[in-house]
Amino acid sequence: MHDPRYDRDVLADMKPQRGPQQRTPVTLKRGLIVEHSETEWCGAVVGVRQGLVELENGRGKVRAFSLRDGFMIEGKPVTLQMPQAAPKGPRRTASGSVAVADQRAKVAMPSRIFVEGKHDAELVEQIWGDDLRVEGVVVELLEGADNLEAVLAEFGPGPDRRAGVLLDHLVRGSKESRIAAAIEQGPWRDNVLIVGHPFVDIWQAVKPARVGLERWPEIPRSIEWKTGICRALGWPGDEPADIAEAWSRIRGRVRNVRDLEPALIGRVEHLIDFVTVP
């Protein structure tokens, strides 16, 4: 008599499946019950060290298995993953300030910060850009210290419209120091703050170690300074495109404020305070 129970291969379900198994990623945590696929050792996660997971069974015995092995949870194949490290503190901007989450840039405030040239503006934006956007401060170019008086006259500084100015090479006896002194004695003196760093160019505000130097080399006055720096570094420096490429490479080595000289850091932060603090 025919018995339909024997119409199919009763051993089919017991045959090993071919091909890779789909494993679900599972993040490790203490107390997670896991079974090691090969040895069928089952236990709770009690530790992870040097790429091994430690499982303690119901009798209190502990065995360690490589995280690359196969595991199962409730009969389903899984891949065990290390938990991601939690942030150790609030996210910081490149300047070291606490980053403001989901903060949109403010509408530009009347006060401004003026810098001498494009490279100065790019470095300030790279390090302090997040802070400036939160405060609504715009950075504008002078295109040289010689233009400072004319730019300020057009800007019209006042009690509610301050101007902060960052000049290169602001040292005793320099052209920049004479320009600053004249303006500081003029009608805008209460609403204009002029600060400067001692470097010939903003490039020198980057710590020389970031470009593989012990210190920035002295360049003879007969050689254009940036061209001389490029030659000292073994880079092309005779064409404007060479200078642009060199600055891009230098600026690319700057990760955050710690890669800059303190003589620049303090000056920029002083300017930000001047134009933002009532």
Side-chain angles (χ1 to χ4, degrees):
M1 182 175 178
H2 176 70
D3 189 336
R5 291 179 299 175
Y6 300 107
D7 285 348
R8 68 185 186 89
D9 184 359
V10 295
L11 298 178
D13 294 340
M14 301 176 61
K15 292 179 180 178
Q17 296 180 351
R18 297 183 180 275
Q21 287 183 302
Q22 295 298 317
R23 295 185 175 272
T24 303
V26 173
T27 301
L28 281 167
K29 62 180 180 179
R30 182 173 289 273
L32 181 69
I33 304 300
V34 177
E35 180 182 348
H36 185 247
S37 299
E38 183 176 350
T39 63
E40 299 183 348
W41 179 275
C42 185
V45 175
V46 293
V48 181
R49 58 182 177 82
Q50 299 179 341
L52 300 175
V53 59
E54 297 175 333
L55 303 180
E56 181 180 9
N57 69 8
R59 298 179 180 179
K61 293 185 178 180
V62 177
R63 288 187 61 179
F65 302 94
S66 171
L67 285 174
R68 293 177 296 194
D69 288 355
F71 297 90
M72 292 191 295
I73 295 178
E74 296 182 350
K76 297 180 180 179
V78 299
T79 298
L80 300 181
Q81 295 182 337
M82 293 289 293
Q84 293 185 350
K88 294 184 178 180
R91 188 178 71 83
R92 298 278 175 174
T93 67
S95 71
S97 301
V98 175
V100 180
D102 302 323
Q103 175 70 49
R104 298 181 64 183
K106 287 185 180 179
V107 175
M109 64 186 302
S111 299
R112 295 284 187 273
I113 290 177
F114 296 91
V115 298
E116 282 205 52
K118 182 173 180 286
H119 293 178
D120 306 70
E122 289 174 341
L123 189 59
V124 169
E125 160 61 27
Q126 180 170 331
I127 301 301
W128 289 276
D130 288 338
D131 307 292
L132 295 171
R133 280 184 286 277
V134 167
E135 298 292 347
V137 177
V138 173
V139 176
E140 296 189 6
L141 305 185
L142 296 173
E143 300 293 356
D146 293 331
N147 297 322
L148 178 55
E149 186 172 2
V151 168
L152 289 176
E154 182 179 353
F155 176 68
D160 299 320
R161 189 176 174 82
R162 293 180 172 181
V165 181
L166 178 68
L167 295 181
D168 296 338
H169 201 221
L170 191 60
V171 296
R172 183 184 297 274
S174 68
K175 175 187 70 174
E176 290 80 5
S177 68
R178 293 191 292 272
I179 292 171
I183 291 172
E184 287 168 350
Q185 296 172 9
W188 306 309
R189 58 182 176 271
D190 294 332
N191 302 300
V192 174
L193 174 65
I194 301 174
V195 301
H197 55 72
F199 312 116
V200 175
D201 190 275
I202 197 71
W203 290 19
Q204 280 186 306
V206 177
K207 289 182 177 178
R210 295 305 302 146
V211 292
L213 298 173
E214 291 187 6
R215 65 184 185 88
W216 289 98
E218 297 288 335
I219 304 301
R221 292 191 176 185
S222 58
I223 301 175
E224 199 281 325
W225 191 85
K226 290 186 175 75
T227 297
I229 291 297
C230 289
R231 291 174 180 172
L233 289 167
W235 301 343
D238 296 321
E239 302 294 334
D242 298 333
I243 301 300
E245 173 64 21
W247 171 237
S248 178
R249 293 170 70 176
I250 293 170
R251 190 162 62 89
R253 307 285 178 88
V254 178
R255 301 159 298 186
N256 53 51
V257 72
R258 292 188 293 274
D259 292 329
L260 301 180
E261 297 289 356
L264 175 68
I265 298 168
R267 306 305 191 277
V268 174
E269 294 180 351
H270 189 186
L271 289 179
I272 294 174
D273 289 342
F274 178 75
V275 299
T276 58
V277 177

